[in-house]
Amino acid sequence: AFREFSNQVIALSARPDVVKSPLDLAKGLEILASTGFEGARALAVLGPAAQAATAGFTDTKTVIEGLIRILEAYAGSNLTATRSLDLMFETVDKGIISFPQLASGIGEVVGFAGTAGVSFDELSAAIATMSKVLPPAQTFTSLKNLIISISAPSKEAADAARDMGIEFNQSALESKGLIGVLLDMQKVTGNNVAALSRLLPENRALRGAIALLRDGTSDFTERLKDMSAEGESAEATTRALAEALKSPAVQLEKFASTMQLVGIQMGSDLIPAMRSGLEIVSGFAKAVGSLPQPIQQAFLAFTALGVAVTGGTLVFGRLITLVAAAVNFVVTWKKTVAESALIEEGATLATGKN
């Protein structure tokens, strides 16, 4: 089964809409396998992740690490890898954050959001909105602390919310959404920072609320519309990939990936013959090395004499060139074998075969 899976990974890399090399895909596959994604389930994530890596100008491993955290956080929902990636690209498009920054940082907040009942659509809209006024790292931390402060408020914050007449807990997040709780806060505080701080005494949570409440939540509301299945987020990955494929850098990467595919195929075909050849050369070298020192010296002298008799410098130069070429070929072959082994290792893990 693992050989078939390995071939599927190589076939994936050969697709015209997948730029990433088999080695890059294998590294992503290892991450998937180590977190319990196996067989068809792993391939269902690997394909979209590879396309997203090209569209987002990053590597497959980075995409998969972020994507797994999202899928695990919303495991009880119908959120798919493709839909998650569309929302991520819409977040990048509407916010001030790069795709690698989003994929690398989303893990800080997504688990808390999923547990608290904040949908990934709403989380994405919040990140896009906040990233316009906060750096990515502060966006993730502030949003995480805001969600925690609302879902599990301190006694002082809960008392303040009760005095103000609003529901301020996880039930409110689940029923009204983050936008609904923020609108309640805005209504009773008038966006007054001192009043808001009674509900959100933790500075980073307060900072996050202020970022979302600016312009009367109009920006946040618009981003929510964008993130809906009927909004601009639909097929956002496809659009981003189409643009990326026009890049000379991406086209060059595809060429390099194709060359790696050719090398892997050649390596697979040549491995049996190369192993036999290397065994012969190794055996010959060992045989010469085991000879007594005087005989070794005589052998070297005889070889030198042969070089001199058959053309001296010219033949020796050609011999050196041939040896160098042979060494380079062997080094390249070994690298190809190592890459093939890594792909097979990932396939073995993904199929659950020990």
Side-chain angles (χ1 to χ4, degrees):
F2 78 93
R3 171 62 67 180
E4 179 183 352
F5 201 84
S6 175
N7 290 337
Q8 288 179 308
V9 172
I10 292 174
L12 176 62
S13 181
R15 280 172 35 182
D17 59 341
V18 174
V19 173
K20 296 303 175 181
S21 69
L23 184 58
D24 180 86
L25 297 181
K27 291 177 180 178
L29 187 61
E30 282 189 303
I31 300 298
L32 284 168
S34 67
T35 52
F37 286 76
E38 298 180 351
R41 185 169 176 239
L43 284 176
V45 175
L46 185 62
Q51 292 179 317
T54 295
F57 296 93
T58 187
D59 57 88
T60 306
K61 179 175 177 287
T62 297
V63 176
I64 286 177
E65 287 175 339
L67 190 55
I68 286 175
R69 291 182 173 93
I70 294 168
L71 295 176
E72 290 297 325
Y74 293 97
S77 69
N78 59 357
L79 184 66
T80 64
T82 299
R83 176 61 180 155
S84 300
L85 292 168
D86 281 344
L87 288 167
M88 291 175 74
F89 276 105
E90 188 64 17
T91 300
V92 171
D93 185 50
K94 293 301 191 295
I96 303 178
I97 187 171
S98 69
F99 192 88
Q101 287 172 330
L102 179 58
S104 299
I106 192 72
E108 180 177 353
V109 63
V110 70
F112 293 97
T115 300
V118 177
S119 70
F120 192 56
D121 294 42
E122 192 167 34
L123 183 68
S124 299
I127 293 171
T129 303
M130 292 173 66
S131 68
K132 294 179 181 179
V133 292
L134 295 174
Q138 290 186 19
T139 292
F140 296 127
T141 301
S142 297
L143 186 51
K144 175 191 70 177
N145 287 20
L146 175 60
I147 291 172
I148 293 173
S149 294
I150 295 173
S151 60
S154 65
K155 182 180 183 305
E156 293 77 9
D159 290 343
R162 185 174 56 255
D163 292 343
M164 295 178 185
I166 63 171
E167 188 180 9
F168 196 72
N169 48 39
Q170 183 166 329
S171 295
L173 277 176
E174 293 173 347
S175 61
K176 300 179 179 180
L178 181 58
I179 184 70
V181 175
L182 287 171
L183 288 172
D184 285 347
M185 292 168 60
Q186 182 181 49
K187 182 178 179 180
V188 297
T189 65
N191 286 354
N192 178 273
V193 175
L196 283 171
S197 65
R198 291 185 61 201
L199 295 170
L200 301 168
E202 203 278 325
N203 288 334
R204 288 168 294 186
L206 178 61
R207 179 177 63 192
I210 292 172
L212 290 173
L213 286 168
R214 63 188 178 85
D215 299 329
T217 69
S218 61
D219 191 19
F220 188 20
T221 301
E222 285 302 310
R223 298 293 74 79
L224 272 173
K225 293 178 182 177
D226 294 335
M227 300 299 169
S228 69
E230 298 76 25
E232 294 184 19
S233 66
E235 298 188 354
T237 307
T238 301
R239 294 194 299 272
L241 179 61
E243 289 301 312
L245 290 174
K246 299 175 185 177
S247 165
V250 170
Q251 293 172 11
L252 184 61
E253 184 182 3
K254 181 60 176 176
F255 175 78
S257 174
T258 301
M259 290 301 98
Q260 189 179 107
L261 278 169
V262 172
I264 289 171
Q265 186 59 54
M266 289 180 62
S268 299
D269 294 340
L270 289 174
I271 280 174
M274 284 295 295
R275 280 177 178 164
S276 299
L278 286 174
E279 287 173 2
I280 293 172
V281 172
S282 176
F284 179 75
K286 288 179 179 179
V288 172
S290 65
L291 292 173
Q293 190 69 25
I295 296 178
Q296 289 186 37
Q297 291 175 351
F299 175 80
L300 292 173
F302 179 79
T303 303
L305 178 62
V307 169
V309 170
T310 54
T313 304
L314 177 60
V315 174
F316 185 72
R318 288 177 177 173
L319 181 62
I320 291 298
T321 301
L322 180 61
V323 171
V327 170
N328 182 62
F329 177 79
V330 171
V331 170
T332 303
W333 174 76
K334 285 184 175 180
K335 181 180 179 183
T336 299
V337 171
E339 291 172 352
S340 299
L342 180 57
I343 294 170
E344 291 191 6
E345 182 182 353
T348 301
L349 290 171
T351 53
K353 179 176 180 179
N354 295 323

